[in-house]
Amino acid sequence: MRSFLYCEAGFVEKDQWLPNSWINVECPTPDDIHYLTNEFNVPESFLSDVADTDERPRIEYEGNWLLTIIRIPVQSQEHGIPFTTIPLGIMTNNEVIVSVCYYKTELIPDFIRYTRRKEVVVRHKYDLILRLIHSSAVWFLKYLKQINNEVAHAEKALEKSIRNEDLLRLMKLEKSMVYFNTSIRGNEVMLTKLQSIFQEPIYMDNELLEDVETELKQAHLTVNIYSDILTGTMDAFASIISNNVNTIMKRMTSISIILMVPTLIASFYGMNVPVYGEGMPHAFALIVLVSIALSALSFLIFRKIKWF
């Protein structure tokens, strides 16, 4: 689906394309692809690059077109991973600005509403790219807070009962952290490359650039902190599980030793040879009592050394 956005006091949607407007294409259909390639001569290779889910943040030229790919965060339940990142392609030349994303996201609609609410005036293509990178950093931070809350809930659940489901939940959140960390670092590298390309005075906006750098650094620092905390939590619960297994094995060993005592005595008296007490009238009761006494003694010894 494509929309034509013209910047007045914030982006306003128009019915058709106007000069200096922004064409935003979300979940493009074959008709959208045909429209971009035929009406504006957008390189097909750019569109196929953006369609690759694993495409890294980078810059590429083809003719007078510039492709800028950044990675943005999204909520997803694909393979059970709650959060992941996807590529957003921004294709520009001297007259046209086109953004293409093959997934439905919250970032673009929220960015458009923000420009209207704050009456932001986007002056040129570099300005738009910087603001989209800034918006991606903001959404990284939003999702990181949600991840941190989910980690806290999983920790509380594991304090009561260590289940495989809760551990798998933490592992999937850890994967999301890895995706976020890699994408934020890629966007930081992309920002450095953009600064070397747009050096003309018309593109200079040091205040906006500083805001983008600050937001990206904060997102990078936050994801590292949360990732370290989650890694420490996983290691702690792995140690707890190992300790619980050791405790269970000690108890099972103690029980087997306790039960071995009467079994050993009974096996002696089951042999086809003369044994002590076979002529006594209450030999059976005596043997049972001795077995119980020895088992109780073994139990007390294991309790004293805290194997129970």
Side-chain angles (χ1 to χ4, degrees):
M1 185 183 73
R2 61 180 179 267
S3 56
F4 305 100
L5 301 161
Y6 188 79
C7 188
E8 296 172 353
F11 282 103
V12 179
E13 189 168 346
K14 300 292 184 180
D15 295 331
Q16 59 183 359
W17 181 81
L18 297 173
N20 300 318
S21 63
W22 166 29
I23 307 172
N24 178 49
V25 184
E26 197 171 51
C27 301
T29 62
D31 178 63
D32 293 327
I33 301 296
H34 182 269
Y35 176 80
L36 293 175
T37 54
N38 286 272
E39 292 293 328
F40 298 99
N41 297 318
V42 175
E44 293 185 12
S45 60
F46 285 3
L47 297 172
S48 61
D49 288 345
V50 178
D52 184 4
T53 308
D54 299 321
E55 191 65 51
R56 70 188 189 282
R58 62 185 178 86
I59 290 174
E60 185 177 337
Y61 288 98
E62 186 169 323
N64 64 338
W65 283 93
L66 170 67
L67 170 64
T68 305
I69 297 179
I70 64 175
R71 293 196 70 88
I72 61 175
V74 293
Q75 283 186 305
S76 171
Q77 289 302 325
E78 187 176 355
H79 305 300
I81 299 175
F83 300 93
T84 186
T85 62
I86 56 172
L88 170 65
I90 307 164
M91 305 155 210
T92 61
N93 61 15
N94 294 329
E95 299 176 352
V96 184
I97 302 175
V98 180
S99 66
V100 178
C101 184
Y102 281 78
Y103 298 85
K104 192 79 173 175
T105 69
E106 297 180 81
L107 187 149
I108 297 295
D110 178 73
F111 172 71
I112 295 170
R113 289 192 297 269
Y114 172 81
T115 60
R116 293 173 184 169
R117 187 171 64 253
K118 297 293 186 178
E119 298 183 352
V120 175
V121 177
V122 178
R123 299 171 296 147
H124 43 71
K125 55 188 178 183
Y126 183 49
D127 198 347
L128 177 61
I129 295 172
L130 286 181
R131 293 185 183 277
L132 286 174
I133 296 175
H134 182 273
S135 184
S136 73
V138 171
W139 276 94
F140 273 119
L141 289 170
K142 287 183 180 180
Y143 287 143
L144 281 170
K145 289 180 180 178
Q146 294 185 33
I147 290 175
N148 192 43
N149 290 335
E150 291 196 22
V151 170
H153 291 318
E155 286 178 357
K156 289 182 180 178
L158 286 168
E159 287 175 2
K160 299 177 182 177
S161 173
I162 296 178
R163 301 183 305 166
N164 291 339
E165 294 81 0
D166 295 319
L167 291 172
L168 289 172
R169 183 181 174 190
L170 285 178
M171 185 187 70
K172 290 171 182 176
L173 290 173
E174 191 172 25
K175 285 185 178 180
S176 295
M177 294 279 199
V178 173
Y179 293 147
F180 277 22
N181 192 13
T182 305
S183 298
I184 292 170
R185 286 162 51 193
N187 288 348
E188 287 180 322
V189 174
M190 173 60 55
L191 182 62
T192 303
K193 292 181 179 179
L194 287 171
Q195 293 178 54
S196 63
I197 294 173
F198 296 97
Q199 293 182 340
E200 292 84 354
I202 189 176
Y203 295 127
M204 290 299 178
D205 189 341
N206 293 329
E207 185 177 351
L208 176 59
L209 181 60
E210 184 179 349
D211 289 342
V212 176
E213 290 177 339
T214 301
E215 207 70 26
L216 278 175
K217 287 179 181 177
Q218 183 178 354
H220 195 180
L221 179 62
T222 303
V223 74
N224 283 335
I225 292 172
Y226 288 171
S227 182
D228 290 343
I229 292 173
L230 182 55
T231 301
T233 301
M234 293 286 287
D235 291 342
F237 281 113
S239 299
I240 292 172
I241 292 171
S242 178
N243 184 60
N244 289 346
V245 170
N246 291 336
T247 301
I248 291 171
M249 291 304 298
K250 285 195 300 183
R251 289 177 179 175
M252 295 298 295
T253 303
S254 302
I255 292 172
S256 64
I257 293 173
I258 292 171
L259 294 177
M260 184 186 69
V261 174
T263 305
L264 180 63
I265 296 174
S267 64
F268 287 153
Y269 280 87
M271 296 179 181
N272 192 21
V273 293
V275 293
Y276 173 77
E278 60 182 340
M280 295 175 59
H282 303 291
F284 178 77
L286 180 61
I287 293 170
V288 170
L289 290 175
V290 170
S291 300
I292 294 174
L294 291 175
S295 297
L297 179 62
S298 301
F299 177 76
L300 292 175
I301 292 172
F302 288 130
R303 282 294 299 272
K304 189 174 182 179
I305 62 177
K306 297 182 180 180
W307 275 39
F308 271 100

